[in-house]
Amino acid sequence: MFKKASEMGITLEPNLKGGRDTTRVVDILTKDEMAGTGRLFGVSIIPVGGSIGYHQHTGDFEVYYILSGKARVTLDGEVRELEPGDMTMCEDGHTHGIENIGDEELRYIAVILYSR
């Protein structure tokens, strides 16, 4: 499979999981293209001051790999700041949220894979 950037869909997620502003997701692979292994493989883009609300994963886990910008991530109540090249993983049954605390868009690769 090959995809040009212009062939990838963009999903708009207003106030995702109770967060602030609209997160854009560039769908690198659609859920159908993931062959039953997961439900998200994309680049998430959160505007300055935006966030994805604190939420729990059940039956899956999520990895973020920061591409640009500055993030504040809360993972099971622990807060860390992440920058380009950093990653975090929220395991099945755990909770997390992410906030753009920088002065530019926050861009990161997000992957959600099924654990069961």
Side-chain angles (χ1 to χ4, degrees):
M1 171 192 303
F2 296 96
K3 277 189 191 178
K4 301 291 269 178
S6 61
E7 298 171 321
M8 294 181 204
I10 295 177
T11 303
L12 300 178
E13 298 281 0
N15 308 109
L16 187 56
K17 305 289 184 182
R20 293 184 308 277
D21 216 323
T22 298
T23 298
R24 297 185 332 262
V25 181
V26 178
D27 302 311
I28 295 171
L29 290 178
T30 67
K31 182 178 176 182
D32 292 339
E33 293 167 337
M34 293 185 71
T37 61
R39 59 185 176 93
L40 176 68
F41 177 34
V43 176
S44 292
I45 304 161
I46 300 177
V48 173
S51 67
I52 296 174
Y54 199 65
H55 61 282
Q56 182 175 33
H57 280 264
T58 304
D60 58 30
F61 64 95
E62 185 167 22
V63 176
Y64 296 157
Y65 178 81
I66 308 299
L67 298 171
S68 63
K70 188 172 183 179
R72 178 180 296 129
V73 176
T74 304
L75 176 63
D76 292 331
E78 181 179 349
V79 179
R80 296 272 181 102
E81 291 184 4
L82 301 181
E83 297 179 344
D86 297 339
M87 66 79 64
T88 182
M89 182 173 80
C90 181
E91 297 178 71
D92 188 357
H94 294 259
T95 54
H96 72 155
I98 186 168
E99 176 183 5
N100 182 348
I101 60 169
D103 56 4
E104 64 180 293
E105 288 183 327
L106 173 63
R107 293 175 178 260
Y108 58 95
I109 294 173
V111 179
I112 299 177
L113 297 174
Y114 299 128
S115 53
R116 302 176 192 176

